[in-house]
Amino acid sequence: IFKRNLFICIIIVIVCTLLAHPLFAADSAPAKKWKDTAEFSLVSANGNSKATSISGKNTFTYQWTRTVLELSAGGLGTESENRQTAEQYFANEKLGWTIVGKNYAYERFGWDKDRFYGILNRYDLSAGVGRTLLDLTKDKLNGEVGAGYINEERDNSPRKDFGSGRAYTKYTRMFTDTSNFSQDIEYLVSFNDENEYRLKTESALITSVSTNISLKISYIWKRVNKPTPGFSKDDTITSAALIINY
């Protein structure tokens, strides 16, 4: 099952990358409104699973005048002695549109399967508002707040569903024209229980080696304050990635 799921994710990433290649675009096409990013990583996971593996991710973005659509999917998994030890897959959709000035509204829906935390299937639907808080030449800062609904199936536990609140921020610092640092923080909390919260942070350093190719080093820390019984609260993922941009 692990090999099949990982193979499917790799195929999705490759197909999305090929479809976004300039060879598939008309020579007389107007200014490009879309962007596609394929990411292939060597991953070291610690916490509920200690393993080194390879992961893939693809993000497709389409920009209209006041609206932007973002689609992303990816996965990683590990196995030992023909036994699956951990796996993580996801697919997300996000639609945002400008309200006025630096303010915007958004809608997002995501599915993920995270065996690191004993989550078999998780569905997350939310909507909210965001704002560009800082927009300088070298420094960017965005913030979002919203509410939604989460439904998840856990390993050896009853299905859980609840209303949720979400806060998110992303800071980007440009060192040069070809390198930058970013810091993402996302906080999710259940409206039924304030101790039922999730926190995810990602620190990343990206440098371009050519027009279409970049290298990325990142560190992700995730906490589920009330995890599935038998799992710990914290997980970390350190990765080195090759990024292909179109």
Side-chain angles (χ1 to χ4, degrees), residues 22 46 68 85 97 109 140 192 205:
N46 289 279
V68 59
T85 57
W97 55 94
F109 176 76
K140 313 288 184 182
N192 299 333
L205 182 63

Side-chain angles (χ1 to χ4, degrees), residues 63 65-68 96-105:
Q63 178 78 53
T65 304
R66 297 172 60 89
T67 308
V68 59
W97 55 94
T98 302
I99 301 174
V100 59
K102 298 181 179 181
N103 302 305
Y104 61 92

